[in-house]
Amino acid sequence: MAKDYDVIIIGGGHNGLTCAAYLARAGLGVMVLERREIVGGACTTEELIPGYKFPACAYHCHMLQDKVIEDLELRKHGFDVYPLDPVRFLPFPDGSYINLWRDTDRLIEDIARISTRDAEAFPRWDRFWERAAGLIQAYVLSPPPRLGQLFEKARGTPDEEVLETMLTRTMKDLVQDHFESEQVQGAFIGATEAGDPSVPGSILARAYFHIDRFSNPVNMGLVKGSMGVITQAMARSAQSQGATIRTDAQVDKVMVERGKAIGVVLVDGEEVRSSIVVSNADPKRTFLDLVDPQHLDDHFLGRVKRLKTEFSSLKLHCALSGLPDFSRYLGEGFDPKMLAMVKICPSVEYFERNVADARNGRFTHSPQMYIQIPTVYDDTLAPPGHHVMSAWMQIQPVKLAEGSWDDVHQEVFDILMDTLSIYAPGVRDLVEKWELMTPLDIERRVGLTDGNIRQLDTIPQQFFDQRPLAGWANYQTPIHGLYLCGGGTHPGGEVTGAPGHNAAHAILRSLKLEEAYPAD
Ligand SMILES: Cc1cc2nc3c(=O)[nH]c(=O)nc-3n(C[C@H](O)[C@H](O)[C@H](O)COP(=O)(O)OP(=O)(O)OC[C@H]3O[C@@H](n4cnc5c(N)ncnc54)[C@H](O)[C@@H]3O)c2cc1C
């Protein structure tokens, strides 16, 4: 039967749109089908509370690849940022604080107010991450390496020890090897979806997020108009090259004939045909929902089912009548811009309590909070004098041990307000309206399995040539002509555009159209 398009892309998340834009630039006829009423997936700006616009999920633009911004001409299509300095403000319960200034000397001065030994250790810490992130950045926009290849390349260089540390030691070891004070340790501990900072591999998981040190500073910070501007710009870029984008178009199944993808069926029964189908949905959703199991062997399906999506996130959005009061730290009349990004995590022990609660299926009374108040830069997001505040809490259980996430919204809100009030007294009185997005809400809204914000946990066994699965890290799948392009593929989640870019490359290579690829 005749095909309608060369390529159908299931999902208009930022990677689906990036992939669409590159393929359309190479002259292919591309159709993007997005189930929601807007494109963007986990990268949107939405009026969740009337009069207030929020970054519904992703809130900080820091890893969007410079090459993608340039190739897709995103600035021409509306993308722009307010670069941040400090990047983050970290208050501690005892009244001390650190600002993560861009300038290392200034940051070291802040750390020295808490511990001179820690200030002296910071350059060594910084050099480690420069090397660790460098090892990853080298492959972000190219096919993933095998670990063996990395070791071969690193042999005899200082990278060798860094690589060994990344794979065998833990974040907790690393933080405690460098820093002595509770606060500085709290400032730098992290494990993302490795969850526990005491497990080997937690350093590799963190290192991925440090690749932002290689982003051009003018491309990092608060997006003007919030994160949805990125995906709107990507959509415009793809459309300007001839791609078609349909919203409210949920794909029910990938159509497969004799082991080859031939198009998709939408939930209303409409069939759309193509030579190639690319799924921006996560690997579990793609293989367990969108493909009929008869087309995949049991061994493969078993491996997909066992992919790890164990830690989720939670996001609180608030409409505020004024700015939270952090004058205890910053003095009266402080510059509001200091509050663009605030992190609450006073110690390793606090972090570990959060992890232990998540493992036991509970919301924690020790929530690490990543707070953003974008209206201190961007007054287009709220009525005059008012603010939007979003708080992101990572390392949450996918399911509660008792009850459902739907039943605990008020309880979680109260815990978060009590926590924040320790640092900014009276903050609760400023909240006019709020909306909580639990892991369950994130799954329902964005379609991410288990509300996993990066489609799959970022852990060593799901990284590089094992993302999503060993043998299938080249964006191809066991079904001929069906590709993946989302954050569940190399190099991983976050708003980077890299999986979409790489998947487009892989498709053009398979079509022997690389020469038509204008960006190379
Ligand atoms: C709460 C939260 C906070 C985050 N914070 C940050 C941050 O600050 N900075 C950052 O860089 N990253 C952040 N991230 C991560 C980042 O947003 C994601 O990793 C990234 O947006 C994933 O993009 P994607 O295009 O790969 O997939 P997605 O955004 O998941 O897009 C997949 C798209 O496919 C669509 N889809 C799925 N199934 C179908 C179907 N059957 N038919 C049609 N369409 C379908 C979905 O609706 C969605 O639009 C955050 C994510 C979340 C959830």
Side-chain angles (χ1 to χ4, degrees):
M1 196 182 278
K3 66 177 187 192
D4 303 304
Y5 297 90
D6 295 316
V7 183
I8 289 171
I9 300 185
I10 306 172
H14 87 282
N15 279 313
L17 296 168
T18 299
C19 187
Y22 277 109
L23 294 178
R25 274 159 56 100
L28 296 177
V30 180
M31 162 64 93
V32 178
L33 298 168
E34 166 55 44
R35 57 184 258 286
R36 287 195 69 203
E37 68 287 5
I38 52 165
V39 294
C43 183
T44 56
T45 304
E46 296 183 54
E47 195 169 325
L48 299 174
I49 295 170
Y52 295 82
K53 292 186 194 143
F54 293 88
C57 292
Y59 62 99
H60 183 207
C61 178
H62 63 133
M63 285 164 63
L64 184 56
Q65 296 298 292
D66 296 337
K67 179 176 187 292
V68 172
I69 294 172
E70 281 159 30
D71 289 350
L72 270 51
E73 300 181 295
L74 295 187
R75 285 189 183 269
K76 187 178 112 187
H77 292 292
F79 167 75
D80 201 0
V81 295
Y82 297 102
L84 299 178
D85 200 17
V87 176
R88 220 164 241 138
F89 162 63
L90 295 101
F92 303 108
D94 67 355
S96 62
Y97 65 93
I98 295 172
N99 281 303
L100 298 187
W101 299 105
R102 287 201 168 283
D103 176 48
T104 310
D105 291 340
R106 212 170 165 198
L107 167 55
I108 289 173
E109 271 173 39
D110 264 31
I111 297 175
R113 279 192 279 108
I114 295 175
S115 159
T116 48
R117 252 187 73 184
D118 289 354
E120 283 162 19
F122 184 80
R124 189 161 55 89
W125 168 263
D126 199 39
R127 278 195 301 276
F128 173 84
W129 290 108
E130 180 83 11
R131 284 203 168 271
L135 286 165
I136 296 173
Q137 178 67 36
Y139 297 96
V140 163
L141 292 177
S142 60
R146 279 179 298 106
L147 276 179
Q149 261 172 283
L150 278 187
F151 272 107
E152 244 164 63
K153 200 170 154 201
R155 186 158 307 131
T157 75
D159 283 347
E160 194 170 11
E161 191 185 335
V162 171
L163 202 49
E164 278 167 6
T165 304
M166 279 163 82
L167 290 166
T168 58
R169 305 209 60 224
T170 73
M171 269 307 283
K172 186 172 172 183
D173 292 336
L174 197 69
V175 163
Q176 293 186 335
D177 283 354
H178 284 81
F179 306 119
E180 62 175 13
S181 84
E182 206 174 62
Q183 297 96 315
V184 179
Q185 289 179 358
F188 295 118
I189 193 75
T192 59
E193 306 96 28
D196 188 342
S198 301
V199 297
S202 46
I203 300 177
L204 177 70
R206 272 309 288 161
Y208 173 56
F209 301 94
H210 278 271
I211 64 169
D212 64 3
R213 60 179 61 224
F214 302 112
S215 298
N216 185 336
V218 301
N219 291 333
M220 290 169 65
L222 285 179
V223 177
K224 294 185 181 173
S226 200
M227 293 295 277
V229 168
I230 297 175
T231 39
Q232 290 300 322
M234 287 174 163
R236 278 195 284 273
S237 173
Q239 284 164 328
S240 74
Q241 300 293 329
T244 308
I245 298 174
R246 270 176 67 184
T247 51
D248 289 312
Q250 179 165 353
V251 170
D252 184 34
K253 284 280 180 268
V254 175
M255 293 193 290
V256 180
E257 220 172 68
R258 289 191 287 278
K260 182 177 180 332
I262 56 160
V264 298
V265 190
L266 304 190
V267 284
D268 63 5
E270 180 186 349
E271 293 186 358
V272 192
R273 292 185 175 246
S274 61
S275 312
I276 287 175
V277 177
V278 186
S279 177
N280 182 197
D282 67 69
K284 282 187 169 173
R285 192 160 301 281
T286 301
F287 296 120
L288 303 179
D289 287 353
L290 297 178
V291 176
D292 196 299
Q294 62 167 314
H295 302 301
L296 294 165
D297 71 56
D298 288 348
H299 177 64
F300 181 83
L301 283 173
R303 292 176 73 199
V304 172
K305 282 180 193 151
R306 288 190 295 279
L307 284 169
K308 303 256 183 278
T309 47
E310 291 184 354
F311 287 102
S312 192
S313 294
L314 191 136
K315 207 155 175 200
L316 173 70
H317 297 291
C318 299
L320 300 183
S321 58
L323 203 59
D325 179 11
F326 284 90
S327 59
R328 170 186 173 206
Y329 301 91
L330 301 170
E332 294 297 331
F334 64 85
D335 179 357
K337 291 195 166 72
M338 304 290 287
L339 301 184
M341 305 270 275
V342 182
K343 179 180 169 186
I344 306 289
C345 182
S347 66
V348 169
E349 196 208 340
Y350 182 94
F351 190 103
E352 287 185 318
R353 277 203 300 275
N354 184 153
V355 175
D357 285 331
R359 281 209 187 288
N360 289 313
R362 288 192 295 264
F363 183 70
T364 183
H365 283 259
S366 300
Q368 311 160 64
M369 302 176 75
Y370 289 81
I371 296 156
Q372 188 187 66
I373 309 181
T375 32
V376 297
Y377 277 87
D378 188 344
D379 61 10
T380 65
L381 304 174
H386 294 238
H387 289 278
V388 305
M389 177 176 81
S390 299
W392 173 61
M393 279 65 59
Q394 60 174 345
I395 311 188
Q396 303 302 328
V398 170
K399 289 193 176 71
L400 294 176
E402 281 173 37
S404 156
W405 277 114
D406 284 341
D407 305 330
V408 296
H409 281 221
Q410 184 65 47
E411 187 188 326
V412 169
F413 173 76
D414 289 340
I415 293 172
L416 294 175
M417 281 298 126
D418 288 350
T419 306
L420 197 49
S421 301
I422 298 169
Y423 305 87
V427 64
R428 184 191 277 261
D429 299 335
L430 301 173
V431 178
E432 294 176 318
K433 285 202 170 128
W434 56 273
E435 182 174 320
L436 185 74
M437 281 166 46
T438 66
L440 191 54
D441 298 315
I442 292 173
E443 171 158 11
R444 286 179 188 137
R445 184 180 199 91
V446 193
L448 289 160
T449 301
D450 292 339
N452 191 289
I453 75 166
R454 302 195 178 91
Q455 296 204 344
L456 296 178
D457 289 349
T458 309
I459 48 177
Q461 74 259 39
Q462 295 178 172
F463 203 68
F464 284 142
D465 69 331
Q466 307 202 55
R467 191 171 184 89
L469 287 165
W472 297 108
N474 52 2
Y475 309 93
Q476 295 182 17
T477 71
I479 293 172
H480 190 63
L482 174 65
Y483 291 78
L484 296 177
C485 76
T489 60
H490 168 75
E494 290 294 268
V495 179
T496 65
H501 166 281
N502 296 351
H505 260 89
I507 292 165
L508 293 174
R509 260 198 305 277
S510 73
L511 296 175
K512 309 219 182 318
L513 279 176
E514 271 176 297
E515 326 73 68
Y517 200 69
D520 285 338

